[in-house]
Every structure is written in C-alpha cells, then in structure tokens.
Amino acid sequence: MSDLAVSPATVKFPHRSRRGILLGLTLHQLVLVSAALALLLVTVLTTGLLGAITLTPLWAAVAGVVAVRRQGRSLIDWAPIVARFAWRRHSGQTLWLARPVTRPRQDGILHLPGTAASLKVVTPGDSANGAAAVHDPHQQTLTAVARVSSRAFALLDPATQNHNVNGWGRALAGTARTGHVATVQVLERTVPDSGDTLARHWAHHGRPEAPVAGQVYADLVASAGPAAAPHETYLAISLDLKAAKRLISQAGGGLPGAFTVMEQTTASIAQAARNAGLMITGWLSAREIAAVVRTAYDPKALAALQQWSPTGRAEAEPAAAGPVVQVEEYDRIATDSARHATYWVENWPRTEMGAGFLHGLMFTAGVRRTLSLTYVPQRLESALRDVQRKKAAIIADASERARRGQVDSEEDSIEYADVKNRERQLIAGHADVALTGLITVTADTDAALDAACAQIETAAVTAGVDLRRLWYQQPDAFAVAALPLARTTL
C-alpha cells in the first residue's frame, strides 16, 4: 500500500469532568454549604424563623460565593488560593533575592526559590559520561534529563507519523508498567540564540577567503545568529525511590543503587523513544542541568554560558542555577532578564484532530515559550477504582435529576461514554497515564509579554485547546512548567 493511501493519525481526548464530590459541589463549596445549613438549623432552634430571616444577608453571601464563578472556579474555591497569595505578599515572600553566603555551601544544591529549594544535582562516581540526576529529598525522587532531537513531524509522511505516534504510546505504556517511574516530562522550548554555536561552526569549517561567497556567509552568520530562535527538547524521567526500594536494595542500596536502577530504566526508555522517532543525543551532566535551569530564569545568560563552555553547550555551576531576583505578581513573575506567564491546558481537543495539532502553538512566530507535557503513570488497580467511582457519581447525579424531574444532561452521557471507553481499554491491557499540559510564555518586558500571551491564546484556539492562566500561582507553576525536572506539585 502506498503512503498516499495511509490516513494520518488522529487524536481525541476525553471530556474533562467538572463533577464535584456531591451534587456537583467541590470540597470547599460542600464545607461552606454544610456549615451554613448547620448554622441555619441552630438559628431556627434558638431564635426561631425570625432569627433566620434576620441573617438573610449572610445566606445571600454564602449563595454568592458558592454559585458565582470566575475563570472556571467558584469564589469559595478561589478563596484559599488568593489567601495564600495575600499572605505571601504580606510576609514579603513575593520577592525572592539570592543572598551571598560566606560559609561553604552544600555541593549540588540548585538554590531555587519556593518549593524547589531543596533540589540537589548528584553525579555517581563511576559515571563514564558524567550524566547526573536531580534528587528531591522531600518527594523521594531521582530525575535524569536527556537532550532529545527528531525530524520535523509536520514534514513526515502519514505512515511515518502513524508509526511515531504509536511508538510513543507504546513507550509510555512500557514506562507505566514498570511501577517505579513516578513521572515522565517532555519539555520543548525556544531560546534566544547568541549565534555563538553558528560562529564556532563557521570558524572551524567556514572558508572566509572564498571570493564573494566568503564575505556573504560571514555577514550572514554575524547578522542571522542572534536573530534565530532555536528549539530545544528535553526528556525528564523521574524515578520513585520508594516504589523502587527493592530494586535499589538489590543494586547495592543508597544513591549508587538508585543510579543503577535509573540507568537501567533510562536505557529501556531510550530504546522505546528511538522506536517513536526520537533520538536521545545525551543525558545531561550536572553543569548542563544547571545551565538549562539558569537560562529558564535568565534567558540572556545563554550567550555567556555558551562562550565560556569549551564544548559550545551551555554549562553553569549548580549553585548559580537559580535566579538572582524573582518578583511575583498575581498573573506573572519577573526574573533576572525576563517576564513569564504560565498557562494550564484545561481541555485538550474533544473532536478528532491530527496528531500534530500542537504545531501552530509550538511555532508561533516571534514568541518565546516553553511547552511542558507531564505524564504520571497510574496503577491498574487505582485506575479501575477511579473508573468505578466516576461511573457511580454519574449514575447517582442522573438519578437525582430524574427524582427532581429535571431533564437529562448530554454532558453526562458523553462523560459516561468516555469513562466506559477508558474502562474497556484498561481491561484490554492498556496502560493509564494522567497528562498535564503547561505553557510558559516569556518576554523581555511586560508589554511584550502581554502581546505574546495574546498570540499564544489565539494559537491555542486554532489548535483546539483551552488555556487557563494560573492566577496567583505563577512561581510554582513556572517551576513545574519551565524547568525539566519532572515535578508535578503546584
């Protein structure tokens, strides 16, 4: 069969449930409504109906904060988020400054703001290629980061596209079945190019003495390099040290044993990635991981880091990976040389679309952004329990509406069909992963950031995805979305 007869791969995502714990109410709504009902009962018993009528403004306020929604959340659901932001601002935590330390620092600590402050880069003593990993002592994970390259997906023929899509699905399934991989993150970003790599190549392989062409190419290298916006792709694999405890003990225990298990895991994932058309060009060293983190906070540092590196690849000391300054605002953060705003992909396409539906979003002209896709493997038992819980909730809500004489909800029918389809796939042996998409937009000034965000939001509509800006959560969202550390906690 010719390639022209092969239909391109298509994808369709299930409906995202907005169902609450009980009667469509979230936890915060349910607690507030329960407290209000309890207060109403006490008021009626102690002061009678007149006392309850006197508290009418209170009941109206409770109804308002429960029913009124902003940006997809009710006011009561916004309350803890806004309260934490207000507390951080009141206590001065919205401003983070790197402070010089006179006493010796612990080796490998990345010195990042917020919840990532304890992350540490460690390198095994017997590592032949210098590959390192990031150790999170609180979450008990060890994360290795690889640099990835591939052919342009949009330029591949349909048969190759289908092969790569299916190969990536098998790679994720294999990762989920190991039982000790906590998270898989794919991070693709654009960075400003200093032109240093291009200049190095011209210096080693160019022929400036060639008549006419030599001068033309020299001028082109000098002018085009800094104007380019190269794309970088990283694959981060996070090993769950608790789940892999038995394997680590068999490998010798401690971090050396954990590195042995990590090497075995990354080797199998690298092979699976190659079957999906991805080429892992190398696992990052401690200095390379630090440079990736550093250039996320300070994009303009890339030129200096490349020039100081003997290999031409950006490298930095782990102690200098974090920002010098970070200022949090309700809808963005400002770091050393850039402004950042992070979005959450609330809904993926719910109609059939081509597998390359993110192409327009990833290649928006003139916009620097980072796209992070985080996959969290789900155990079969917990996935099946989640399916049964959702089925029971849908049926219970439908029965309650029927009892009240309300009409059926088509949204419930679609959600129930998606849940049944997920159950059939689990029974058939398919692995289950939870997918989270985050996009961080970066610019030099606030005005440029607002313009870039408008472009990204327009491109998202074309791609069929719904974006939601993460108000009052920007620092933690940036650390999860813009850094290839396979973290999931906001």
Side-chain angles (χ1 to χ4, degrees):
M1 182 181 294
S2 66
D3 291 341
L4 295 177
V6 178
S7 299
T10 59
V11 293
K12 178 184 176 183
F13 291 80
H15 176 80
R16 181 180 293 278
S17 176
R18 298 178 183 272
R19 196 172 307 280
I21 298 176
L22 180 65
L23 299 177
L25 299 178
T26 63
L27 177 61
H28 298 103
Q29 291 174 314
L30 192 59
V31 169
L32 183 60
V33 169
S34 300
L37 291 176
L39 179 60
L40 176 61
L41 179 61
V42 172
T43 303
V44 171
L45 293 177
T46 55
T47 63
L49 187 59
L50 183 60
I53 295 175
T54 304
L55 294 178
T56 298
L58 176 61
W59 316 133
V62 170
V65 297
V66 169
V68 176
R69 303 180 69 86
R70 289 290 183 271
Q71 299 292 326
R73 285 191 177 106
S74 66
L75 296 184
I76 186 59
D77 289 329
W78 275 112
I81 298 174
V82 177
R84 284 194 294 268
F85 174 78
W87 171 252
R88 290 196 303 272
R89 171 167 288 187
H90 175 74
S91 58
Q93 297 180 33
T94 55
L95 173 63
W96 189 90
L97 296 172
R99 294 177 175 83
V101 179
T102 56
R103 63 179 183 272
R105 292 183 172 183
Q106 186 176 356
D107 290 341
I109 295 293
L110 293 175
H111 297 284
L112 303 180
T115 57
S118 60
L119 298 184
K120 178 181 180 181
V121 180
V122 291
T123 305
D126 58 349
S127 177
N129 55 4
V134 179
H135 180 227
D136 187 337
H138 297 303
Q139 298 296 324
Q140 284 295 296
T141 59
L142 189 67
T143 304
V145 185
R147 188 180 294 104
V148 180
S149 65
S150 66
R151 296 171 59 191
F153 184 84
L155 302 181
L156 301 177
D157 59 85
T160 305
Q161 288 183 353
N162 294 352
H163 176 269
N164 290 351
V165 170
N166 294 331
W168 178 242
R170 288 191 294 269
L172 288 177
T175 302
R177 291 193 183 96
T178 63
H180 55 258
V181 174
T183 314
V184 177
Q185 180 191 19
V186 177
L187 185 142
E188 200 273 351
R189 69 176 188 173
T190 55
V191 294
D193 191 3
S194 64
D196 183 69
T197 303
L198 189 60
R200 287 173 185 254
H201 182 82
W202 172 252
H204 286 89
H205 303 286
R207 298 179 59 188
E209 73 281 358
V212 183
Q215 184 61 41
V216 171
Y217 275 104
D219 294 341
L220 183 62
V221 168
S223 60
H231 291 247
E232 297 178 346
T233 305
Y234 298 96
L235 177 66
I237 310 297
S238 181
L239 179 69
D240 188 336
L241 299 181
K242 293 180 180 178
K245 184 177 181 180
R246 181 180 59 83
L247 296 177
I248 293 173
S249 298
Q250 293 175 351
L255 279 179
F259 265 101
T260 300
V261 177
M262 174 65 79
E263 290 174 357
Q264 296 169 353
T265 303
T266 54
S268 62
I269 291 176
Q271 179 59 48
R274 281 193 290 271
N275 295 334
L278 304 176
M279 181 59 65
I280 293 180
T281 57
W283 297 91
L284 271 58
S285 65
R287 292 177 59 85
E288 289 174 332
I289 292 175
V292 173
V293 174
R294 176 64 186 161
T295 52
Y297 285 103
D298 186 8
K300 290 186 178 180
L302 180 62
L305 295 179
Q306 288 178 336
Q307 290 172 358
W308 294 338
S309 171
T311 63
R313 291 179 176 173
E315 294 183 353
E317 289 292 337
V324 175
V325 59
Q326 176 178 285
V327 182
E328 175 188 359
E329 299 179 24
Y330 75 97
D331 66 338
R332 68 192 65 194
I333 62 170
T335 57
D336 299 2
S337 64
R339 308 290 188 270
H340 316 271
T342 300
Y343 291 83
W344 169 50
V345 180
E346 181 180 16
N347 283 304
W348 298 95
R350 284 159 289 180
T351 58
E352 293 287 346
M353 297 192 70
F357 66 94
L358 287 176
H359 184 272
L361 192 62
M362 296 170 63
F363 292 91
T364 306
V367 175
R368 294 209 312 267
R369 53 99 205 103
T370 301
L371 172 65
S372 172
L373 301 178
T374 303
Y375 305 87
V376 179
Q378 307 293 307
R379 292 184 178 275
L380 178 61
E381 296 81 5
S382 61
L384 287 173
R385 284 196 301 268
D386 184 60
V387 165
Q388 296 302 322
R389 181 184 60 81
K390 289 183 176 180
K391 286 170 60 178
I394 296 171
I395 294 173
D397 286 354
S399 300
E400 180 64 21
R401 278 196 304 272
R403 189 183 65 82
R404 295 181 179 184
Q406 297 177 349
V407 296
D408 292 337
S409 171
E410 187 63 25
E411 183 178 7
D412 282 353
S413 300
I414 295 174
E415 184 179 353
Y416 189 74
D418 288 338
V419 172
K420 291 284 289 182
N421 184 53
R422 178 188 174 194
E423 184 178 29
R424 284 192 292 268
Q425 292 177 343
L426 289 171
I427 294 174
H430 293 281
D432 194 38
V433 294
L435 170 63
T436 301
L438 295 169
I439 297 176
T440 296
V441 185
T442 300
D444 295 333
T445 63
D446 286 327
L449 179 62
D450 292 336
C453 287
Q455 288 183 262
I456 285 293
E457 290 170 6
T458 302
V461 173
T462 305
V465 300
D466 299 330
L467 298 182
R468 177 182 292 178
R469 198 155 175 169
L470 293 172
W471 308 98
Y472 307 105
Q473 305 170 81
Q474 287 293 314
D476 289 339
F478 176 85
V480 173
L483 308 181
L485 303 178
R487 304 181 75 235
T488 58
T489 305
L490 282 181

